[in-house]
Amino acid sequence: MALDDTDLAIVRELQTDGRLTYETLAQRVGLSRPAARMRAQRLQESGAVRVVAIVHPAVRSLSASAHLAIDTRGAAAPVAREIATLPQAPFVTLTSGRRAIMTELRTAGFGELERTIEHIRALPGVRTVDPLIATRHVKDPYLLAEEPTVALQDALDERILAALEEDGRLPFAELAGRVGLSPGATRSRTLRLLDGGVAKVVALVRPDVLGMGYLCGFSLRVAGEAAAVAERIAGLARVTFLSTCLGRAELVGTITAESFGAVRATLEEMRALPAVREVESWLHLELIKERYDLGPRTA
């Protein structure tokens, strides 16, 4: 789907606040309200953009995460699709490089993380699983940085979040019908959850739609403390995700770029840092799953 400058402006606004009213959206991008509504709906119907609520990991008890590099016996695609069925795996790709599959896990504690890794090791076709255990998410477009200032009150709050995880732009009247409250009460509860940092509503956009269709994963070995290096790496414009971790590397992340040349230039910037001892990189060849609206979780 080809996007013009106005479409891109709409996408940028929805990436910041997915529940902007059509009137406000129209004012910000210079369209009439009906035109802004039509364009926003067209973007969603095309599949290029999904507007959903991302719930804070603490609310879902997702306190542990890891990045797995996986090698297979035979074809990797069937194994990747099997891993993608796991609710603990929000991100799964087929990759170039030493390993055929990369996946991210987010779980309710390290016990569940260990069980999930062991489950993946036992899948037919899996030869090797090499985990990096995340210790801190330094840069993450889908992670709320601050701890929530409010808590869920009851099952109705959970139902509101579940509905918004499917469609973040549900009108309050329709949302009220789904959860069994009046529109006024639904609006009050929803705004409390969003303003209190329990969730944020954002537009999830395929990178290729924005002309940033080149995704490169990387891991770094560093000398000394990783924190200072992490801040430098996170400051690179094309680095869209970065975690500190334990395992074969101290940092793991993602570059999202407009060309192979831009990927190479970003990797060279990393190599030029005195504290960076080793850079390993891989291309994400096919995105099998990217879904961070994970729904209710139990330990």
Side-chain angles (χ1 to χ4, degrees), residues 2 24 26 35 51 55 64 78 93 109 120 128 136 145 151 167-169 177 216 226 248 251 262 299:
T24 301
V51 181
V55 178
T93 66
I120 291 173
T128 305
R136 182 169 68 96
D167 182 354
R169 288 193 63 80
C216 173
R248 70 182 186 280
L251 299 174

Short mmCIF file of all heavy atoms in Angstrom, two decimals, residues 2 24 26 35 51 55 64 78 93 109 120 128 136 145 151 167-169 177 216 226 248 251 262 299:
data_model
loop_
_atom_site.label_atom_id
_atom_site.label_comp_id
_atom_site.label_asym_id
_atom_site.label_seq_id
_atom_site.Cartn_x
_atom_site.Cartn_y
_atom_site.Cartn_z
N ALA A 2 0.70 2.11 -1.00
CA ALA A 2 1.48 3.33 -1.09
C ALA A 2 0.87 4.41 -0.21
O ALA A 2 -0.34 4.67 -0.26
CB ALA A 2 1.53 3.81 -2.54
N THR A 24 -9.55 16.03 16.17
CA THR A 24 -8.19 16.46 16.49
C THR A 24 -7.21 15.99 15.42
O THR A 24 -6.31 16.74 15.00
CB THR A 24 -7.77 15.91 17.86
OG1 THR A 24 -8.68 16.39 18.86
CG2 THR A 24 -6.36 16.34 18.21
N ALA A 26 -7.82 15.44 12.30
CA ALA A 26 -8.03 16.27 11.10
C ALA A 26 -7.33 17.61 11.22
O ALA A 26 -6.68 18.08 10.28
CB ALA A 26 -9.53 16.46 10.88
N ALA A 35 -12.61 13.35 5.90
CA ALA A 35 -11.45 12.88 5.14
C ALA A 35 -10.44 12.19 6.05
O ALA A 35 -9.87 11.15 5.69
CB ALA A 35 -10.80 14.04 4.40
N VAL A 51 -4.31 -0.38 15.35
CA VAL A 51 -4.33 0.49 16.53
C VAL A 51 -4.84 -0.34 17.69
O VAL A 51 -5.98 -0.79 17.70
CB VAL A 51 -5.21 1.73 16.31
CG1 VAL A 51 -5.19 2.61 17.55
CG2 VAL A 51 -4.73 2.52 15.09
N VAL A 55 -0.65 -3.11 27.05
CA VAL A 55 -0.78 -3.09 28.51
C VAL A 55 0.59 -3.20 29.16
O VAL A 55 1.46 -3.96 28.69
CB VAL A 55 -1.71 -4.23 28.97
CG1 VAL A 55 -1.83 -4.26 30.50
CG2 VAL A 55 -3.09 -4.08 28.34
N ALA A 64 9.69 -11.34 33.30
CA ALA A 64 10.91 -11.95 32.75
C ALA A 64 10.82 -11.98 31.23
O ALA A 64 9.75 -12.15 30.67
CB ALA A 64 11.08 -13.36 33.29
N PRO A 78 8.45 -24.16 9.49
CA PRO A 78 7.45 -24.85 10.32
C PRO A 78 7.74 -24.73 11.81
O PRO A 78 6.81 -24.61 12.62
CB PRO A 78 7.56 -26.31 9.86
CG PRO A 78 8.16 -26.24 8.49
CD PRO A 78 9.08 -25.09 8.53
N THR A 93 10.80 -14.40 14.15
CA THR A 93 11.22 -14.14 12.77
C THR A 93 12.13 -15.25 12.25
O THR A 93 12.80 -15.93 13.01
CB THR A 93 11.99 -12.81 12.63
OG1 THR A 93 13.23 -12.90 13.33
CG2 THR A 93 11.19 -11.63 13.15
N GLY A 109 7.49 -14.39 35.24
CA GLY A 109 8.53 -14.88 36.13
C GLY A 109 9.51 -15.81 35.44
O GLY A 109 9.27 -16.31 34.33
N ILE A 120 10.47 -25.19 24.01
CA ILE A 120 10.97 -24.92 22.66
C ILE A 120 12.10 -25.86 22.30
O ILE A 120 12.18 -26.38 21.18
CB ILE A 120 11.40 -23.43 22.55
CG1 ILE A 120 10.16 -22.53 22.62
CG2 ILE A 120 12.18 -23.19 21.26
CD1 ILE A 120 10.48 -21.05 22.69
N THR A 128 19.23 -26.38 18.28
CA THR A 128 19.94 -25.61 19.31
C THR A 128 19.10 -24.41 19.72
O THR A 128 18.49 -23.75 18.87
CB THR A 128 21.30 -25.10 18.78
OG1 THR A 128 22.06 -26.21 18.29
CG2 THR A 128 22.08 -24.38 19.87
N ARG A 136 17.38 -5.54 31.39
CA ARG A 136 16.74 -4.22 31.38
C ARG A 136 16.41 -3.84 29.95
O ARG A 136 17.25 -3.98 29.06
CB ARG A 136 17.67 -3.16 31.98
CG ARG A 136 17.07 -1.77 32.05
CD ARG A 136 17.93 -0.84 32.89
NE ARG A 136 19.20 -0.54 32.27
CZ ARG A 136 19.44 0.57 31.53
NH1 ARG A 136 18.49 1.46 31.33
NH2 ARG A 136 20.63 0.77 31.02
N ALA A 145 7.42 3.10 29.85
CA ALA A 145 8.64 3.29 30.61
C ALA A 145 8.39 3.41 32.11
O ALA A 145 9.16 2.92 32.92
CB ALA A 145 9.37 4.54 30.10
N ALA A 151 -4.11 0.88 39.85
CA ALA A 151 -4.24 -0.56 39.71
C ALA A 151 -5.60 -0.91 39.11
O ALA A 151 -6.53 -0.09 39.11
CB ALA A 151 -4.08 -1.24 41.07
N ASP A 167 -9.04 -3.69 19.49
CA ASP A 167 -9.29 -2.49 18.68
C ASP A 167 -9.16 -1.28 19.59
O ASP A 167 -10.07 -0.96 20.36
CB ASP A 167 -10.68 -2.54 18.05
CG ASP A 167 -10.96 -1.34 17.14
OD1 ASP A 167 -10.12 -0.42 17.10
OD2 ASP A 167 -12.01 -1.33 16.48
N GLY A 168 -8.03 -0.61 19.49
CA GLY A 168 -7.76 0.51 20.37
C GLY A 168 -8.58 1.74 20.10
O GLY A 168 -8.61 2.66 20.92
N ARG A 169 -9.27 1.79 18.96
CA ARG A 169 -10.06 2.98 18.61
C ARG A 169 -11.57 2.74 18.78
O ARG A 169 -12.38 3.50 18.26
CB ARG A 169 -9.76 3.43 17.18
CG ARG A 169 -8.39 4.05 17.04
CD ARG A 169 -8.21 4.78 15.72
NE ARG A 169 -9.10 5.89 15.54
CZ ARG A 169 -8.92 7.09 16.07
NH1 ARG A 169 -7.89 7.33 16.84
NH2 ARG A 169 -9.79 8.06 15.83
N GLY A 177 -21.00 -1.12 25.35
CA GLY A 177 -21.85 -2.26 25.05
C GLY A 177 -21.13 -3.59 25.25
O GLY A 177 -21.75 -4.58 25.66
N CYS A 216 17.40 -5.43 11.01
CA CYS A 216 18.64 -6.13 11.34
C CYS A 216 18.73 -6.29 12.85
O CYS A 216 18.64 -5.30 13.59
CB CYS A 216 19.84 -5.33 10.81
SG CYS A 216 21.44 -6.00 11.30
N ALA A 226 28.01 -2.28 30.95
CA ALA A 226 27.20 -2.20 29.74
C ALA A 226 26.30 -0.97 29.71
O ALA A 226 25.90 -0.52 28.63
CB ALA A 226 26.34 -3.46 29.60
N ARG A 248 25.66 -14.83 25.96
CA ARG A 248 26.81 -14.71 25.07
C ARG A 248 27.12 -13.27 24.72
O ARG A 248 28.14 -12.98 24.07
CB ARG A 248 26.55 -15.50 23.77
CG ARG A 248 25.49 -14.87 22.87
CD ARG A 248 25.22 -15.69 21.62
NE ARG A 248 24.32 -15.01 20.70
CZ ARG A 248 23.01 -14.97 20.84
NH1 ARG A 248 22.44 -15.59 21.87
NH2 ARG A 248 22.26 -14.32 19.96
N LEU A 251 24.49 -6.85 25.18
CA LEU A 251 23.41 -6.05 24.60
C LEU A 251 22.81 -6.79 23.41
O LEU A 251 23.52 -7.46 22.66
CB LEU A 251 23.92 -4.68 24.12
CG LEU A 251 24.54 -3.74 25.16
CD1 LEU A 251 25.12 -2.51 24.46
CD2 LEU A 251 23.51 -3.32 26.19
N ALA A 262 22.01 1.94 5.05
CA ALA A 262 21.72 2.53 6.36
C ALA A 262 21.97 1.53 7.48
O ALA A 262 22.45 1.89 8.55
CB ALA A 262 20.29 3.03 6.40
N ALA A 299 0.08 -16.53 36.35
CA ALA A 299 1.39 -17.10 36.66
C ALA A 299 1.37 -18.60 36.57
O ALA A 299 0.35 -19.22 36.68
CB ALA A 299 1.80 -16.66 38.07
#
